[in-house]
Amino acid sequence: MQVRSVTEPRAEPAATPREVPNQRDIVDRRVLNAALEPIAHDEALSREVQRVRVREVLKDAYAKGAAEIRRRFEEQAAGGRATVRAMSFLVDQLIRVAYDFASTHVYQAPNPSAAERLVIIAVGGYGRAELAPCSDIDLLFLHPYKRAPRGEQLVEFVLYMLWDLGLKVGHATRSIDDCIRLAQADMTIRTALLEARYLCGDEKLYAELKQRFLAKIVKGTGREFAAAKLVERGERHKRMGDSRYVVEPNVKEGKGGLRDLHTLFWIAKDAHRVERIEDLVGKGVFAREEAATFAKALDFLWTVRCHLHYLARRAEDRLTFDMQ
């Protein structure tokens, strides 16, 4: 992978076909858009009825897509990493369809002003395109410098649509200045923005955030970031019992769990500007065999976590005796 310079950010694709095979068996945006066209052009529908009809289409698509992902996991032994990437892909498409419908048909603006620009960005674990079956979806709604009424309407439309689908959404609406200021003061926000991923909306606004984030926050602060994440890891270990040998381990937060692997990758990503574990081989951080071992460990822990979510029907990360 060619590393982009600070002055040349661009929007990364959400997930490649190689990472999510047979995507259209999960969800097909063209089919969804075609199903929404009659709703958009039915002048007899009130806005509220229109919203309900859109919700029904998206809810059906989410249910079918999630069922297909679970079928692959349980019947075809798709691994944990494949499953969380597929879940991320499914939600990506629904967010894009909802945003496109709202911006094109509900709150139209043929020539939006500079203040009306808006971009929806995935952050945190969802920004990595990793979404466990019952995990929260973390979104950043980014506007240029002040909130415009149309932007607030679009944010509200997308959020209510996701909530109506039964999804748990963590969200923030901020300007670029807000993001930079908060990232300077809060290591959690800095980490979330490190994994920011473009979903839909104004790509130039997203690129501006990435450029300023890399220049103002990341550049020259790698050692500080690594030290802070290791301290954070140590404190988390103490809270979780500070032992690998736990009879009911937490596969996400426990020692040797997913969060430890993510911490290592965050440090490497911050230092080397990479997007994938495999990219660290070319940087000399990992030997090819080490990268494969790291990926295998991730896949195992994600597989266990997906089983826990499916069995509990909620976000459950503790491998209790009952689950064992």
Side-chain angles (χ1 to χ4, degrees):
M1 175 179 176
Q2 184 177 4
V3 180
R4 299 188 301 277
S5 71
V6 170
T7 58
E8 295 179 326
R10 63 174 177 81
E12 300 92 349
T16 67
R18 182 179 66 81
E19 293 168 334
V20 182
N22 302 315
Q23 294 179 355
R24 291 175 185 168
D25 290 343
I26 297 172
V27 63
D28 190 332
R29 281 175 65 193
R30 296 179 303 176
V31 172
L32 289 182
N33 287 329
L36 295 179
E37 278 297 310
I39 300 173
H41 296 103
D42 190 340
E43 297 180 358
L45 298 179
S46 67
R47 181 163 290 181
E48 183 56 35
V49 172
Q50 184 186 62
R51 187 190 298 260
V52 170
R53 297 279 181 84
V54 173
R55 181 187 66 199
E56 290 172 349
V57 171
L58 296 187
K59 193 168 188 176
D60 181 65
Y62 177 73
K64 291 178 178 177
E68 169 62 16
I69 293 169
R70 183 167 184 174
R71 186 192 67 79
R72 295 182 186 188
F73 180 71
E74 294 180 341
E75 297 179 13
Q76 298 182 351
R81 290 185 77 194
T83 300
V84 297
R85 286 195 175 277
M87 284 297 303
S88 175
F89 168 76
L90 171 60
V91 173
D92 287 354
Q93 303 312 304
L94 297 180
I95 290 173
R96 289 173 179 140
V97 169
Y99 174 81
D100 288 345
F101 186 90
S103 61
T104 304
H105 301 297
V106 184
Y107 304 110
Q108 304 97 327
N111 296 298
S113 65
E116 290 180 313
R117 293 189 299 154
L118 179 74
V119 60
I120 303 179
I121 300 170
V123 293
Y126 181 42
R128 286 193 306 275
E130 293 178 342
L131 185 65
C134 299
S135 287
D136 293 359
I137 298 157
D138 293 322
L139 296 175
L140 170 63
F141 296 92
L142 188 70
H143 55 88
Y145 44 87
K146 65 178 182 179
R147 299 188 185 186
R150 179 173 179 265
E152 292 184 342
Q153 291 169 327
L154 292 172
V155 170
E156 182 182 272
F157 185 96
V158 172
L159 283 177
Y160 275 100
M161 197 62 61
L162 295 175
W163 288 330
D164 286 344
L165 296 181
L167 300 175
K168 294 176 290 183
V169 185
H171 64 94
T173 303
R174 295 177 180 143
S175 68
I176 294 177
D177 287 342
D178 291 337
C179 291
I180 299 302
R181 174 175 51 82
L182 291 168
Q184 288 172 330
D186 191 316
M187 193 60 66
T188 300
I189 293 175
R190 171 177 172 164
T191 306
L193 289 176
L194 182 66
E195 301 195 293
R197 178 171 59 89
Y198 172 83
L199 288 177
C200 52
D202 192 304
E203 289 194 53
K204 290 183 178 179
L205 193 59
Y206 167 81
E208 183 180 347
L209 172 65
K210 292 288 283 187
Q211 178 178 329
R212 288 185 58 186
F213 177 75
L214 291 173
K216 297 285 187 180
I217 304 298
V218 175
K219 187 177 181 181
T221 62
R223 290 182 180 275
E224 175 189 343
F225 178 77
K229 299 312 291 183
L230 291 176
V231 168
E232 182 182 282
R233 184 189 66 172
E235 292 173 348
R236 173 169 45 78
H237 286 170
K238 289 179 182 178
R239 290 196 306 271
M240 303 303 296
D242 203 21
S243 173
R244 296 179 182 84
Y245 305 105
V246 180
V247 293
E248 293 186 313
N250 187 304
V251 298
K252 178 183 177 184
E253 301 287 351
K255 195 168 189 176
L258 278 166
R259 185 63 75 228
D260 279 1
L261 297 183
H262 292 155
T263 297
L264 294 173
F265 183 62
W266 290 331
I267 293 170
K269 181 173 183 176
D270 184 86
H272 297 285
R273 309 289 195 275
V274 297
E275 297 296 334
R276 296 160 52 87
I277 294 166
E278 294 78 6
D279 300 331
L280 293 172
V281 175
K283 294 292 182 179
V285 177
F286 276 151
R288 193 168 299 280
E289 296 77 12
E290 291 170 332
T293 300
F294 191 96
K296 184 178 180 180
L298 266 180
D299 190 57
F300 171 77
L301 290 170
W302 273 123
T303 300
V304 174
R305 192 178 182 207
C306 287
H307 276 299
L308 290 173
H309 281 214
Y310 282 134
L311 289 170
R313 299 182 181 179
R314 58 184 171 82
E316 175 59 75
D317 299 324
R318 196 162 62 100
L319 191 55
T320 63
F321 289 129
D322 288 344
M323 290 294 187
Q324 293 176 39

